[in-house]
Amino acid sequence: MAKKPFHPDTLAIRIQTDRSQHREHATPLFNTSSFVFNDAEQMRALFADEEDGHIYSRYSNPNGKEFEDKMAALEGMEDGFATASGMAAVFASMAAVLSHGDHVVASRALFGASHSILTNIMPRFGISHTYVDPAEGESVWEAAIQPNTKMIFAETPSNPGLALVDLTMLGKLASKHDLMFNVDNCFATPYLQNPGAFGAHLVSHSATKFIDGQGRVLGGIVVGSAELVGKVRAFCRATGPAIAPFNAWILSKSLETLHVRMDRHCSNALALATWLETRSDILRVNYPFLPSHPQHDLAKKQMRQGGGVVTCEVAGGIARGREFLNHLEMISLSANLGDSRSIATHPASTTHAKLSEEQRQAVGITPGLVRISVGLEHISDIIADVEAALDHTKS
Ligand SMILES: *Cc1c(COP(=O)(O)O)cnc(C)c1O
C-alpha cells in the first residue's frame, strides 16, 4: 500500500486491505463482530495497545479501516474514524473534544440536525454557541469569539442554501485564537475541497451522499489530526456509533469512482444551473460556480468545481414550488442527495417547514426554493424533465 507518490484519484483505488491467503483481488467483506487471538499473550498485548490489530468491530474492522485510510489520504489528514451516519460523525467531532463550559462559534447556515445538536442538545451538557452568518467578514467572526470558545464549526457549501464560508479566513482566525476548526465537507467531498489545506483540524462527512453516490447505505467519517481523531476514536469506542462492515465496504468501493462521478455531477449541475438562468419564471439560481453566485470568487478560490447541487427560486412561492415537484416525471422526490439519480426537494414545505418565515429567510430558504441534486443521467434528459415541469405549472 505505497501511499506517497500517488495522486488522490489513485489512492482512492489503490489503498487496500492486505490480501488474505486466498489472493483475492477486491477487498472481501469482513462481516464479523469480533476477531480471534492466537493466544492469551496476544490478547493481552492487543488490549494494551502494544500490538496493532482488530479486536471487536465496535472498535475497528478491516472494512472500516480501509475506508478511513482512503478518506484520510484524500483529505490530506493524518487519521480518520468512520461512523454509522453523517450525524454520528458530526456529533462525535464535537462531543469527543468539547467539555462543559466550552463555547462554539458556528456558521448559521448548517444542516438541520447539526443546528439541532448545537441549539438543543449541547446546551444541556453546558456547551454554548454563537451563530454567525456565513458570508460575514473576519471582524464579525472574530467578535463572536469568547474567552471560553474552543471551536469554530462551519459547513461549506451549506445544505440547502449553498452559502460558503471563507476557509482561509476561518483557518487563520482559528490559529490566531488557538481554536479547533471543524468543517462539514459533505457537499464538496474531498475531491472538490480539502478544508485541512486551509487549516481545519477536523473534517466531518456524511458519506451517505456523494461518497456512496448511489443512495444505498448510511455512513459518516471524521478525519483530522492524529491527536483529535484519537479522541474521536476513544469517544466512539465507548459510545458505539460504529459503522457496519457492509456499509464501510460499499463506501470504500464507491470512493474508487468518486473523482469520475463528481466530474459528471459537476458538469451536469453547471449546465442545468446555466440553463435555469435563461428561464424567466426562475427568479434566482444558486450554484457556487455560476458567476451570479454572490460568493463566486470565493468558490473559485477554495473549490475545484461547483458541486452537484443547484437551488432555484421558482416564481409563484410555496404553491408553485410544490406543483413544480408534482410535474417532474423522471427526477425523484426524495430526502437524499448525491445519488446517481437526480432528486428534487422543496425545503420550505418539508425539511424546514417547522421554522418561521424569518428563520427560513435567515438561512436562505425562500418559499419557492427548490433544491436539485443533479445526478448522472444525460444532461438533456435532466433539463427536459425540469423544462416540462416548469411549462406545466406556468404561473
Ligand atoms: C446529510 C447531511 C448530514 C447528515 O448525514 P447522515 O448521513 O444523513 O446522518 C450532515 N451534514 C450535511 C451537510 C448533510 O447534507
Side-chain angles (χ1 to χ4, degrees):
M1 275 207 315
K3 275 192 179 181
K4 279 276 143 58
F6 291 133
H7 294 87
D9 310 8
T10 307
L11 292 174
I13 294 168
R14 285 293 172 178
I15 288 178
Q16 189 165 345
T17 307
D18 291 340
R19 216 161 265 160
S20 80
Q21 74 274 26
H22 299 296
R23 296 173 287 101
E24 71 280 355
H25 193 196
T27 298
L29 170 58
F30 290 91
N31 215 6
T32 179
S33 38
S34 65
F35 300 83
V36 288
F37 310 107
N38 294 329
D39 50 36
E41 172 49 25
Q42 187 189 34
M43 190 168 176
R44 184 205 62 77
L46 277 161
F47 271 91
D49 272 336
E50 289 170 18
E51 187 180 323
D52 260 356
H54 302 291
I55 297 174
Y56 185 60
S57 287
R58 168 153 50 81
Y59 298 171
S60 69
N61 173 286
N63 296 121
K65 176 79 166 61
E66 183 181 286
F67 175 54
E68 291 161 358
D69 287 348
K70 284 186 183 181
M71 285 295 292
L74 293 184
E75 286 287 16
M77 302 297 248
E78 290 170 350
D79 199 4
F81 188 84
T83 55
S85 70
M87 284 326 301
V90 170
F91 181 63
S93 76
M94 296 182 189
V97 298
L98 295 171
S99 301
H100 191 275
D102 290 348
H103 174 259
V104 179
V105 172
S107 167
R108 193 185 304 283
L110 294 181
F111 183 65
S114 303
H115 199 272
S116 209
I117 287 176
L118 281 171
T119 310
N120 305 323
I121 298 175
M122 290 304 205
R124 292 199 283 113
F125 298 90
I127 297 165
S128 58
H129 63 274
T130 301
Y131 288 126
V132 178
D133 287 336
E136 287 292 0
E138 182 171 353
S139 58
V140 176
W141 280 91
E142 190 161 32
I145 296 172
Q146 303 179 7
N148 59 339
T149 302
K150 291 284 160 55
M151 177 183 281
I152 298 178
F153 179 69
E155 183 182 310
T156 184
S158 69
N159 180 7
L162 299 176
L164 272 54
V165 298
D166 185 337
L167 289 172
T168 309
M169 180 269 287
L170 289 183
K172 284 193 185 140
L173 209 53
S175 142
K176 178 176 167 192
H177 293 269
D178 199 18
L179 309 176
M180 292 178 277
F181 182 25
N182 185 0
V183 178
D184 181 337
N185 201 28
C186 168
F187 263 42
T189 79
Y191 180 58
L192 302 182
Q193 173 176 277
N194 300 119
F198 301 92
H201 309 99
L202 288 163
V203 179
S204 44
H205 280 277
S206 166
T208 315
K209 315 290 173 53
F210 293 100
I211 289 174
D212 175 297
Q214 288 150 82
R216 297 162 298 182
V217 300
L218 293 180
I221 189 160
V222 184
V223 296
S225 67
E227 187 205 341
L228 293 179
V229 172
K231 291 186 181 178
V232 169
R233 177 173 291 110
F235 175 83
C236 291
R237 283 181 174 193
T239 55
I243 192 166
F246 176 74
N247 291 12
W249 179 79
I250 289 271
L251 294 169
S252 181
K253 277 275 150 210
S254 288
L255 282 178
E256 295 181 17
T257 56
L258 179 72
H259 47 293
V260 183
R261 293 183 287 106
M262 288 314 291
D263 280 343
R264 177 72 171 250
H265 278 297
C266 293
S267 63
N268 275 358
L270 180 60
L272 176 66
T274 305
W275 178 82
L276 283 167
E277 279 202 321
T278 66
R279 292 279 309 200
S280 58
D281 55 353
I282 297 291
L283 302 179
R284 185 174 54 90
V285 184
N286 199 12
Y287 183 68
F289 265 41
L290 275 185
S292 60
H293 189 286
Q295 296 167 296
H296 180 241
D297 290 342
L298 179 61
K300 290 257 168 169
K301 213 171 96 192
Q302 62 192 31
M303 298 176 72
R304 296 185 185 94
Q305 298 180 65
V309 178
V310 175
T311 66
C312 62
E313 173 73 15
V314 181
I318 291 203
R320 179 127 187 273
R322 289 169 46 123
E323 221 197 312
F324 165 72
L325 293 193
N326 286 336
H327 283 93
L328 290 169
E329 285 191 351
M330 178 188 78
I331 297 176
S332 319
L333 306 188
S334 173
N336 196 24
L337 64 93
D339 198 301
S340 52
R341 292 155 291 190
S342 295
I343 292 170
T345 58
H346 182 239
S349 68
T350 57
T351 45
H352 293 74
K354 289 205 182 83
L355 302 189
S356 69
E357 190 73 40
E358 295 82 66
Q359 286 174 315
R360 278 198 291 266
Q361 287 288 350
V363 289
I365 297 167
T366 42
L369 188 85
V370 170
R371 184 189 77 187
I372 302 178
S373 168
V374 186
L376 305 180
E377 302 97 338
H378 195 288
I379 183 60
S380 307
D381 294 329
I382 298 172
I383 290 179
D385 201 39
V386 172
E387 183 168 33
L390 285 173
D391 288 346
H392 261 103
T393 57
K394 270 226 175 322
S395 45

